[in-house]
Amino acid sequence: MTESEIIEKIKAKGFKITPQRRAIINALLTADKPPVAKDVHKEVRNKHPGVSLDTVYRNLNLLAEIGCLVKINLRNSEKSRFEILKHHHHYHHHLICLGCGEAVCLEKCLLDMHTDVLKNEGYKIVGHAFEIYGYCPSCCSAVENGDVKK
Ligand SMILES: [Zn+2]
Ligand SMILES: [Zn+2]
Ligand SMILES: [Zn+2]
């Protein structure tokens, strides 16, 4: 998604484009890897010193709700990273390192394995979440060397 596609989507959902909102989108688009909310806040504050971390969180959650970004690490909101849908155009899942927070995008979805059950149960599915946690190769070797990162 480009900046203008994201802005179009926000407008289509009935939300306003504020300079702060635009700055948050820009911080997400220019980051070299999915940032945590605090990183976004730091970046946005350069231009808009009055923006609170709370506002940043609210905007990030809004962008996630309308499908412009994917929240990574659902079980620890302070360490959650926010991936704008730049390379991937759809919601997807992640393999997450508990040491450094690095995330690998997963291409396949487990939901596809359960279509029969989902159909038979007669549920109307409105959402699902799935993440795999572990340690990346460099965090694994840090653990082996007794150099454990928190
Ligand atoms: Zn790691
Ligand atoms: Zn991803
Ligand atoms: Zn899925």
Side-chain angles (χ1 to χ4, degrees):
M1 278 181 130
T2 61
E3 186 183 357
S4 56
E5 281 170 341
I6 293 164
I7 285 169
E8 276 314 304
K9 196 150 188 180
I10 293 170
K11 282 185 187 162
K13 297 278 179 181
F15 297 100
K16 285 201 188 101
I17 306 298
T18 60
Q20 290 90 332
R21 197 158 272 168
R22 205 181 267 269
I24 288 168
I25 295 164
N26 257 301
L28 289 161
L29 283 169
T30 53
D32 50 334
K33 63 175 191 175
V36 297
K38 275 186 187 155
D39 296 337
V40 176
H41 187 217
K42 210 184 283 174
E43 185 71 30
V44 170
R45 259 198 325 199
N46 289 334
K47 271 193 185 166
H48 306 278
V51 174
S52 68
L53 182 59
D54 208 54
T55 302
V56 170
Y57 266 115
R58 255 187 286 122
N59 275 282
L60 292 171
N61 285 322
L62 173 76
L63 288 169
E65 259 167 52
I66 65 172
C68 290
L69 63 76
V70 175
K71 201 169 171 176
I72 304 170
N73 198 346
L74 300 169
R75 70 174 198 175
N76 184 342
S77 64
E78 262 192 32
K79 285 188 179 172
S80 284
R81 292 183 174 276
F82 295 88
E83 181 187 25
I84 202 101
L85 292 177
K86 197 161 41 167
H87 308 295
H88 295 80
H89 284 253
H90 300 285
Y91 181 80
H92 56 277
H93 306 286
H94 294 92
L95 167 60
I96 298 150
C97 176
L98 293 172
C100 62
E102 202 67 56
V104 177
C105 301
L106 302 173
E107 304 297 333
K108 287 179 192 156
C109 178
L110 279 178
L111 204 64
D112 301 335
M113 290 172 58
H114 303 290
T115 45
D116 291 355
V117 180
L118 293 172
K119 224 195 295 173
N120 294 339
E121 291 296 320
Y123 271 70
K124 174 178 157 49
I125 304 299
V126 294
H128 70 284
F130 172 70
E131 291 183 331
I132 303 174
Y133 303 101
Y135 291 95
C136 74
S138 70
C139 288
C140 273
S141 53
V143 169
E144 277 163 22
N145 298 331
D147 179 23
V148 185
K149 275 192 263 178
K150 283 251 164 150

